Amino acid sequence: MKTNPWTLSVLLLLAGPLGADPDWHVEYPDSFCVVEGSTATIPCSFTLPAGRRVERVVWCTNDEFCRRLVFNVYDSSSVRAYRRFRYLGDRVGNCTLKIIKTVKRDTAMYRFLFQANGRGYPGRIGVIVKVTDGEDVKVRSSITDHVVKEGGQVTLTCTSACSFHQLDVHWYRNGHALSETGPALHLSNLTNNNTGNYTCSLDSSGQKTSAPWSLLVGEDEGRFGWRLTVSVVLKVLWAVFLLLLAGLVFAKRSAPGPEHETVYSEVVG
Ligand SMILES: *[C@@H]1O[C@H](CO)[C@@H](O)[C@H](O)[C@H]1NC(C)=O
Ligand SMILES: *[C@@H]1O[C@H](CO)[C@@H](O)[C@H](O)[C@H]1NC(C)=O
């Protein structure tokens, strides 16, 4: 009697976790985050005992056993192909899947299954692919303040709900592209020229751009501090002088005569 391979795979799953068998194994990340519009390459590998021939490979969504024949995003035995889903793998051990120009509705639980000797071997509970919009792209800085003194340094990082594997990060100051790329922008030896609004974006087209982060490069703290001290001392001296003058005038008006000498000498002494 010929048994349906899908029934067999269900029985196999019920018998025990597949992942426990090192001969039959699918390896992929638990979750994978991607920003809408960019391309995701989900790494995947599988193993099977030597000498077995893989007849079919399938990537499906939201289905534990990839039984649905219509909604598989990739099926080597189907003529139907989705242009945005490319199977970069092979039938030997690589099951990498590429999703081109991801859209929100690609968010799903993805599962890989390979079929050998008439049996289907699904990977464990699959990759949770999360497609987020670019709105949560943020600039974070190594400092709490937005003010840095001349000659100082600051590191800005571009963050989002997704980690930035395989993503281009571009940086801008006041809307003009900077030559630096990558998730971190390190600015050192700061001068007033570095003052401005910094943004980062996740693709070269400038879409998925963060809110601006403003940097103000102030005067050197040392020089500033010295000036502050001088100005405070001058103000105090000026106040003392005015008080002295007021005292003299008051003494002269209210107590003319011999008493005046006393007050005067008190103030001076
Ligand atoms: C699987 O194939 C992809 C695409 O060709 C490649 O980038 C990746 O390095 C391969 N993985 C392994 C483990 O060989
Ligand atoms: C930076 O942004 C702030 C607030 O949005 C704005 O007031 C300021 O003019 C901007 N500076 C530059 C150089 O664009």
Side-chain angles (χ1 to χ4, degrees):
M1 190 192 89
K2 193 175 175 344
T3 319
N4 185 324
W6 305 116
T7 314
L8 266 176
S9 77
V10 173
L11 289 175
L12 211 71
L13 266 184
L14 290 175
L18 259 178
D21 187 343
D23 283 344
W24 302 90
H25 189 67
V26 177
E27 189 63 48
Y28 40 44
D30 295 330
S31 61
F32 197 92
C33 185
V34 60
V35 173
E36 191 179 16
S38 62
T39 294
T41 304
I42 303 170
C44 174
S45 62
F46 65 96
T47 51
L48 72 164
R52 307 288 180 111
R53 201 175 63 85
V54 174
E55 293 134 11
R56 183 180 173 218
V57 287
V58 182
W59 270 98
C60 63
T61 60
N62 300 332
D63 185 344
E64 246 180 297
F65 307 113
C66 296
R67 277 163 308 191
R68 280 182 290 173
L69 299 175
V70 215
F71 299 119
N72 294 333
V73 294
Y74 177 79
D75 187 339
S76 64
S77 68
S78 168
V79 285
R80 183 174 179 159
Y82 292 93
R83 268 187 301 152
R84 290 193 308 105
F85 295 90
R86 300 252 170 90
Y87 186 69
L88 300 183
D90 48 38
R91 294 193 183 200
V92 184
N94 192 333
C95 42
T96 301
L97 179 73
K98 186 174 183 177
I99 311 175
I100 297 157
K101 286 209 174 288
T102 49
V103 294
K104 267 285 177 63
R105 65 170 192 280
D106 293 337
T107 294
M109 197 270 277
Y110 287 70
R111 196 158 198 157
F112 174 73
L113 175 142
F114 66 96
Q115 195 177 316
N117 295 79
R119 287 184 176 192
Y121 294 92
R124 63 182 160 78
I125 294 297
V127 194
I128 314 283
V129 173
K130 188 183 167 219
V131 182
T132 68
D133 49 35
E135 278 159 30
D136 51 7
V137 180
K138 281 193 190 80
V139 174
R140 286 185 199 285
S141 79
S142 55
I143 53 169
T144 49
D145 208 352
H146 289 257
V147 185
V148 184
K149 65 182 163 76
E150 256 177 21
Q153 55 180 311
V154 61
T155 301
L156 302 181
T157 42
C158 194
T159 67
S160 90
C162 292
S163 53
F164 287 145
H165 40 225
Q166 304 147 13
L167 271 184
D168 267 356
V169 177
H170 297 262
W171 289 94
Y172 306 85
R173 180 173 56 240
N174 300 330
H176 300 292
L178 301 176
S179 56
E180 293 92 340
T181 56
L185 174 68
H186 185 69
L187 303 167
S188 58
N189 262 325
L190 291 173
T191 67
N192 194 40
N193 291 339
N194 298 109
T195 293
N197 293 327
Y198 288 82
T199 49
C200 64
S201 106
L202 298 188
D203 54 18
S204 48
S205 68
Q207 291 175 328
K208 314 298 171 202
T209 298
S210 70
W213 189 89
S214 62
L215 174 68
L216 178 66
V217 180
E219 276 183 271
D220 184 71
E221 225 170 45
R223 245 169 38 196
F224 181 70
W226 184 77
R227 279 192 202 175
L228 195 75
T229 313
V230 169
S231 96
V232 166
V233 167
L234 283 176
K235 274 178 191 159
V236 167
L237 284 177
W238 181 239
V240 168
F241 173 74
L242 285 181
L243 269 173
L244 215 64
L245 207 68
L248 273 174
V249 170
F250 179 75
K252 224 177 201 172
R253 273 202 198 152
S254 60
E259 269 173 75
H260 165 235
E261 301 298 327
T262 326
V263 174
Y264 183 70
S265 61
E266 261 173 23
V267 171
V268 169

